[in-house]
Each structure stands twice: as C-alpha cells, then as structure tokens.
C-alpha cells in the first residue's frame, strides 16, 4: 500500500480486502464472513443511555429482513427518526462498527435510528438492496415522526442518494435531509483524479470496480439512475444534503462532483471535506477527527430539522 499523509490523530489504516463477489469461489468465503459479522452484532452490548433491538421489515416482494432499531433510553420523547444505510460494498451485513455509530447518532441527535439488514451480493444483486431500503423507508414515513432523515455511508451512500431521487420522481414522502458519508455514487469513476492518485488507498480502485460489476450485473436501464445516483440527469428539488468526502479516498472526487451538481440544481448542500482522512475513518470513535465529524453531522441534522 502506498504511504499517504494520514492525520497524526488517526491510526494508520490497513487496506480493505480486494474481494470479487462475482467469483464463484468467493461465495463460501463471503457466507462465512457474513455469518461471523452477524454473530458479532448479535453479541453487541449498547452503551449506557442507548437501547438496541431488532424488528422485522417486509419488502414489496415479500422478503422479510431484520432491522436494528437504536434509540435513546428516553424513547417516549423521540419525535424524529433516521434511516441509516450501512456500507460494506453491497456484500457485508451490519457490523458492530455500524451499530456503534448508530448509538452515537441516537445519543447525539436524540433520534431513533433504523439500520436495515438489506439483501447482499452475490446472492442478491441490484435492485434487491434498494427495494429493501425503500420498503423500510415507506414504513418509517407512515409513522408519526416530526422529522425524517436518511444517512448512507460508502455503498449505503448510493442507496441513500438513489432513494431520495426515486422518492422525488415518484411523488413519495421525502426525507427532511440526506447525509452522504464517503459515498459511493459513480460506477464510471476510474478517470477521477482521486481514483488515480489514491488507487491503492484503504478502499482501492480494483475493489471498487469489482463491487460495481457484481452489484449492477443484470440491472435494468430504467433502474440505473437510482442505483448509480451520478447517472441521474436531474438533481433538482431534492432534500437538503450534507456530504462528507475523505481526502485520501478514491471516492473523494465523485462526492465533490455530486455536491457541486446539487448546488447547481438549487439544493441546499453542506460540504465537509475532511483532510488527511480515509475511507471508514469514523470507526476510530475515540479520535479527535471523528469526534469533530460527528459534531458536524449532528449540527447538520439540527439545521435540517423543522422547528
């Protein structure tokens, strides 16, 4: 891995594995990895002041999937909710890192957080994960919440941004704000400067290409503008956005471009580029850069809230 100028306040990251989910030989390994991660989440203990439970949700095609619900202990006072769509290259389930972040969001934002176990590659390619997230969103939006938000990180960023586009196009209930954290947004990323400069960073270009190929294999043309948000021609009339790219990340430029397009379309957009940072840096919860980023995300939610 190339040596980059990472923040001295963060631990030097290790490169994520370059996995090709489309390869038959990977299926057994991914099943084992998924089972291991799920066992870890089942054993997760919520910190003081926060509760964690699971409920079942149902997609439009009848698929039943688990949804983690994380909330402050004083849940009777909660008026707002957030759909948090986790990352993991479309092939990893909810992890303890995601649950820890969900606990932080619930505690800091005084909000109920829904974290879906959407269907994963390679068993389920696009648009199954999207359909699961859409079904959960529709269920949440039918409840009597004052404010609703969607947050997506990494691959979850594609699902969150695409969800907002689909809801707008279909005239369905939109969130009051969208937060896209080091988001995956563009399957045509190779010529971006950040993809070239940081091609061997924590999340590398080879793994990103394999992820997109596996996820989009067989996807219909009509679905592509929602599965790959950068492909959508119209970004007008979308919810206010908070976009957080990391400098040392192949995905940095696509996040910057998406933010610029949103601004050009008249969407209220807050951009927070974190220098010397990297993909999934926020798993280091005890570090100063992560604490500051969480404060900024919380402040963005406060600005998006209806008073």
């Amino acid at each position: 891995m190339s040596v980059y100028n990472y923040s001295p306040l963060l631990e030097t990251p290790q490169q994520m594995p370059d996995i090709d989910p489309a390869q038959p030989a990977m299926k057994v390994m991914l099943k084992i990895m998924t089972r291991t991660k799920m066992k870890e989440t089942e054993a997760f203990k919520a910190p003081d002041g926060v509760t964690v439970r699971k409920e079942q949700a149902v997609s439009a095609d009848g698929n039943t999937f688990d949804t983690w619900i994380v909330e402050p202990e004083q849940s009777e006072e909660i008026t707002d909710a957030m759909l948090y769509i986790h990352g993991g290259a479309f092939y990893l389930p909810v992890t303890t890192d995601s649950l820890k972040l969900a606990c932080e969001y619930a505690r800091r934002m005084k909000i109920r957080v829904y974290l879906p176990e959407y269907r994963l590659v390679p068993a389920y390619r696009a648009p199954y994960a999207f359909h699961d997230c859409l079904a959960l969103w529709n269920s949440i939006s039918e409840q009597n919440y004052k404010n609703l938000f969607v947050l997506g990180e990494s691959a979850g960023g594609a699902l969150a941004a695409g969800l907002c586009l689909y809801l707008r196009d279909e005239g369905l209930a939109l969130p009051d704000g969208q937060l896209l954290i080091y988001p995956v947004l563009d399957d045509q990323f190779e010529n971006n400067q950040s993809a070239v400069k940081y091609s061997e960073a924590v999340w590398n270009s080879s793994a990103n290409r394999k992820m997109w190929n596996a996820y989009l294999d067989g996807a219909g043309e009509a679905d592509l503008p929602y599965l790959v948000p950068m492909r959508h021609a119209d970004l007008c009339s979308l919810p206010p956005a908070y976009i957080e790219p990391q400098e040392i990340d192949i995905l940095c430029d696509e996040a910057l471009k998406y933010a610029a397009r949103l601004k050009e379309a008249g969407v209220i957009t807050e951009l927070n580029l974190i220098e010397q940072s990297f993909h999934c840096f926020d798993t280091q919860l005890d570090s100063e850069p992560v604490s500051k980023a969480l404060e900024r995300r919380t402040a963005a939610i406060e600005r998006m809230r209806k008073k």
Side-chain angles (χ1 to χ4, degrees):
M1 178 173 138
S2 300
V3 177
Y4 301 117
N5 184 26
Y6 295 115
S7 169
L9 299 175
L10 290 163
E11 294 179 16
T12 301
Q14 293 184 337
Q15 191 177 76
M16 296 178 185
D18 186 350
I19 292 174
D20 186 355
Q23 292 298 319
M26 290 287 102
K27 289 184 178 180
V28 173
M29 188 197 77
L30 287 172
K31 282 185 179 180
I32 294 171
M33 187 185 301
T34 298
R35 289 197 194 106
T36 300
K37 295 292 183 184
M38 287 182 165
K39 284 182 180 178
E40 291 172 356
T41 57
E42 290 293 339
F44 179 77
K45 302 297 183 184
D48 292 342
V50 179
T51 65
V52 178
R53 68 181 191 276
K54 278 199 304 185
E55 290 185 358
Q56 292 276 292
V58 183
S59 203
D61 62 359
N63 176 59
T64 302
F65 59 96
D66 287 335
T67 296
W68 296 88
I69 300 177
V70 183
E71 61 191 7
E73 286 184 346
Q74 301 300 323
S75 57
E76 67 275 3
E77 301 175 3
I78 294 174
T79 61
D80 300 346
M82 181 168 73
L83 172 60
Y84 169 20
I85 308 177
H86 70 89
F90 302 110
Y91 62 73
L92 285 179
V94 173
T95 65
T96 54
D97 286 330
S98 296
L99 285 176
K100 289 175 184 177
L101 280 168
C103 290
E104 285 294 312
Y105 296 143
R107 181 180 65 81
R108 290 169 179 259
M109 301 174 183
K110 303 297 187 288
I111 201 167
R112 181 171 290 120
V113 181
Y114 294 82
L115 190 53
E117 290 277 16
Y118 54 79
R119 280 173 282 190
L120 301 169
V121 169
Y124 297 97
R125 305 178 190 274
Y128 289 103
F130 184 86
H131 287 170
D132 291 345
C133 293
L134 173 61
L136 181 56
W137 173 261
N138 287 337
S139 175
I140 296 169
S141 65
E142 291 173 355
Q143 301 180 48
N144 191 29
Y145 289 111
K146 183 177 180 180
N147 293 283
L148 291 172
F149 307 98
V150 60
L151 180 149
E153 64 190 17
S154 193
L159 292 164
L163 180 65
C164 290
L165 289 162
Y166 181 86
L167 294 172
R168 181 208 59 188
D169 289 352
E170 294 298 315
L172 300 172
L174 282 166
D176 296 290
Q178 55 179 318
L179 292 85
L180 308 179
I181 311 301
Y182 40 85
V184 166
L185 297 164
D186 190 2
D187 65 327
Q188 299 170 341
F189 65 91
E190 276 94 349
N191 291 328
N192 288 336
Q193 184 178 354
S194 61
V196 175
K197 185 175 182 180
Y198 301 120
S199 62
E200 297 300 323
V202 178
W203 177 243
N204 65 71
S205 292
S206 173
N208 201 55
R209 169 47 55 204
K210 292 170 184 174
M211 173 199 72
W212 275 121
N213 289 346
Y215 180 59
L216 295 178
D217 183 29
E221 285 295 322
D223 290 331
L224 284 177
Y226 306 113
L227 301 175
V228 187
M230 195 68 81
R231 289 197 181 208
H232 204 295
D234 179 12
L235 302 189
C236 294
S237 304
L238 289 169
Y242 169 87
I243 299 184
E244 186 187 291
Q246 312 310 315
E247 180 189 15
I248 305 172
D249 187 2
I250 64 166
L251 305 175
C252 182
D253 282 358
E254 59 196 75
L256 295 176
K257 290 178 181 179
Y258 198 73
R261 285 189 60 198
L262 286 171
K263 289 181 180 179
E264 289 171 3
V267 177
I268 297 171
T269 304
E270 177 182 350
L271 180 65
N272 181 23
L273 171 61
I274 301 182
E275 297 180 352
Q276 295 180 284
S277 189
F278 48 88
H279 202 75
C280 293
F281 84 111
D282 50 3
T283 60
Q284 298 182 23
L285 280 174
D286 294 333
S287 69
E288 182 180 339
V290 175
S291 180
K292 288 182 176 179
L294 293 175
E295 289 173 5
R296 187 82 175 262
R297 297 173 196 176
T298 303
I301 286 284
E302 286 302 317
R303 286 188 287 273
M304 293 170 179
R305 274 182 162 129
K306 296 190 291 281
K307 305 303 180 183

